[in-house]
Amino acid sequence: MPQVLGIDLGTGSTAAAMCSLDEPGAPPAPLPVVPTVLGLPTDGSVHVGRRGSGPHATGFVERIGDPVPQLVGGRRFLPQDLAATLVGWLVDRATERAGPLARVAVTHPGDWGPYRRGLLASALADNGVDDVLLLPAPSAAAALVSAPGPLVVGELGCGHARATVLAPGDRVPLGHARSPEPLVPLLDDALAALVLAEAAP
C-alpha cells in the first residue's frame, strides 16, 4: 500500500503525517510532533527533538539561505544540513512504520525563493531524501479551503508572524508580509495578561 509522507518543517516544532494513495478519502495518520531541535553531542550522534545537557541546534530553519555556518559545540553546521537531518530522521521513522514511501512532501515558508528551496533540496538529496516535493506552507494550508478568489493565509508560529496572498485556482503565492520582530513573546504576554485579568482571584 503506497504511502505519502507530508512534513511541516516549522521553526519551533515539526509535524508529519502519512496517507495512503489507495485510500484518498482516509484521514492521514500523524506521526508524533517533534521540537525542531537537534542535540549534537561531541561523539557525533544526533538526538532529534531533544536539547539535552550538551550542544544543541535550534533556529536553523529560519537561517536556511544564510551562508554563515551555525556554530554548535565548537563545530560548524550549515542550517540546511541540520534541517535535512531532521527530515531524514522523520522519513526513516515513517519507512519503519509503512515500508518504502511513494513520495515525500516538505513545506517551507511561503516567502522562500528558488535559492533557499534549492539549498534545502540539495541538502535533502545529500541526506538520502530524493525527489522530494517542496511546497509553500500557505499553499498546503489552503489546499483544504474552497474559495473562488484570492486567499490570505496567516501564520503564527514560534518565530515571525507571516501573511501570504495566494492566487485563485493553483494557490501560488502572490505576495508576502512578515513581522519585523518575532511576535510570539508579545502574544504570549498579552494572553497571560488576559487570563490573569479574567480569572477569579
Side-chain angles (χ1 to χ4, degrees), residues 7 24 26 32 40 68 115 131 146 174 184 188:
I7 299 173
L40 299 167
V68 179
Y115 175 66
D131 192 30
S146 58
L174 295 175
V184 171
D188 287 345

Side-chain angles (χ1 to χ4, degrees), residues 103-104 124-133:
R103 196 70 191 270
V104 176
L124 289 169
D126 291 342
N127 206 54
V129 184
D130 298 308
D131 192 30
V132 64
L133 172 65

Side-chain angles (χ1 to χ4, degrees), residues 147-169:
L151 193 67
V152 177
V153 175
E155 297 178 83
L156 286 177
C158 184
H160 297 266
R162 288 183 169 90
T164 302
V165 180
L166 301 172

Side-chain angles (χ1 to χ4, degrees), residues 64-104:
I64 292 176
D66 185 346
V68 179
Q70 199 162 343
L71 190 64
V72 183
R75 293 177 293 163
R76 292 177 173 83
F77 299 89
L78 290 173
Q80 60 267 23
D81 292 337
L82 296 171
T85 297
L86 174 55
V87 170
W89 182 87
L90 285 167
V91 169
D92 289 343
R93 302 291 81 73
T95 302
E96 290 171 0
R97 178 186 294 190
L101 301 171
R103 196 70 191 270
V104 176

Side-chain angles (χ1 to χ4, degrees), residues 4 10 14 19-20 33-34 42-43 46 51 68 84 92 96 105 135 138 143 155 160 167 180 193:
V4 173
T14 295
C19 63
S20 171
V33 176
V34 295
T42 54
D43 62 5
V46 178
R51 295 175 183 268
V68 179
D92 289 343
E96 290 171 0
L135 186 66
E155 297 178 83
H160 297 266

